[in-house]
Amino acid sequence: MNKTRKTLLEKLFAEHGQALVRFVTRIVRSPEDAEDIAQYAYLRLQNLTEEKDLENPRAYLFQIANNLALDQLRRGKLHIDYVSQQLPVDSTGEDDQADHHSPERVLAARQQLQAIHEAMDSLPLKCRQAFLLHRNRGLSYTEIAEDMNISVSSVEKYILQALKVCRQKTGNF
């Protein structure tokens, strides 16, 4: 990284660090998560492969942070949806709370949730993004390809990769 780029990042951090954390906190509702996301946003900006000057580095930084925060929310929603799908539907109409909240079911749900977290965290960013756009937002492969500016073939490969990792980690999907 050249010196001017490093200076730009230091200046962005000094001038907008706290504002960025506040911005992300409003999205994820967790100051701790917001600080982590802000750090990842700075790292992502630092790791840009293109060495061109950005017209508005602050706006780009906030957009990166926004995307990271939304990815985290989508992962959380995916996990909640998955856990709720794993709870059995009582066909008799009776509410069997004891079975739903038994220590064994709670432990099994926590283990599955941890496996999903590990699966999602192990995926490359673009793979995770394509998978979540398809699963959470219901976008078609073509829509995802347009949104991510990649080919439909790449979307197919990313989603297949994500499904394979999820099956390996959880035995489901």
Side-chain angles (χ1 to χ4, degrees), residues 89-143:
V89 176
D90 189 1
S91 59
T92 63
E94 296 176 12
D95 190 15
D96 188 12
Q97 290 294 330
D99 182 50
H100 289 304
H101 299 292
S102 70
E104 294 84 11
R105 294 227 12 104
V106 171
L107 178 61
R110 285 184 180 159
Q111 289 172 338
Q112 286 180 334
L113 185 59
Q114 181 61 35
I116 291 170
H117 277 285
E118 290 172 9
M120 290 291 108
D121 289 342
S122 71
L123 293 173
L125 177 65
K126 285 190 175 193
C127 181
R128 179 175 51 229
Q129 183 180 8
F131 180 73
L132 292 174
L133 287 172
H134 181 64
R135 284 288 176 139
N136 288 347
R137 293 178 65 195
L139 297 183
S140 70
Y141 287 9
T142 304
E143 292 170 321

Side-chain angles (χ1 to χ4, degrees), residues 1 16 19 25 102 124 133 154 156 173:
M1 174 176 16
H16 305 293
T25 301
S102 70
L133 287 172
S154 293
E156 291 170 351
F173 273 82

Side-chain angles (χ1 to χ4, degrees):
M1 174 176 16
N2 64 29
K3 187 172 178 149
T4 51
R5 194 152 191 83
K6 184 177 179 182
T7 306
L8 170 69
L9 287 172
E10 290 172 351
K11 182 179 176 188
L12 278 172
F13 183 77
E15 292 178 2
H16 305 293
Q18 291 303 315
L20 182 64
V21 171
R22 285 191 305 273
F23 170 75
V24 175
T25 301
R26 287 193 299 270
I27 297 170
V28 298
R29 309 233 185 262
S30 166
E32 295 83 16
D33 289 345
E35 288 179 11
D36 289 343
I37 289 170
Q39 284 182 348
Y40 288 130
Y42 280 105
L43 286 173
R44 179 112 6 118
L45 188 62
Q46 177 182 347
N47 292 332
L48 282 176
T49 56
E50 298 177 18
E51 289 295 328
K52 65 179 183 176
D53 290 331
L54 299 172
E55 285 184 33
N56 189 342
R58 180 187 182 277
Y60 196 75
L61 175 66
F62 275 70
Q63 184 61 49
I64 291 171
N66 184 60
N67 291 345
L68 290 170
L70 292 176
D71 282 347
Q72 179 169 324
L73 291 175
R74 287 181 191 118
R75 270 198 322 269
K77 183 186 179 314
L78 176 68
H79 298 177
I80 290 168
D81 290 348
Y82 176 77
V83 170
S84 68
Q85 289 174 2
Q86 296 305 307
L87 294 175
V89 176
D90 189 1
S91 59
T92 63
E94 296 176 12
D95 190 15
D96 188 12
Q97 290 294 330
D99 182 50
H100 289 304
H101 299 292
S102 70
E104 294 84 11
R105 294 227 12 104
V106 171
L107 178 61
R110 285 184 180 159
Q111 289 172 338
Q112 286 180 334
L113 185 59
Q114 181 61 35
I116 291 170
H117 277 285
E118 290 172 9
M120 290 291 108
D121 289 342
S122 71
L123 293 173
L125 177 65
K126 285 190 175 193
C127 181
R128 179 175 51 229
Q129 183 180 8
F131 180 73
L132 292 174
L133 287 172
H134 181 64
R135 284 288 176 139
N136 288 347
R137 293 178 65 195
L139 297 183
S140 70
Y141 287 9
T142 304
E143 292 170 321
I144 295 168
E146 290 172 5
D147 188 50
M148 293 178 62
N149 199 24
I150 58 175
S151 69
V152 174
S153 174
S154 293
V155 172
E156 291 170 351
K157 290 175 186 172
Y158 287 147
I159 292 176
L160 284 174
Q161 180 183 359
L163 288 171
K164 183 179 176 182
V165 169
C166 289
R167 283 188 187 111
Q168 289 172 344
K169 297 269 187 187
T170 66
N172 294 316
F173 273 82

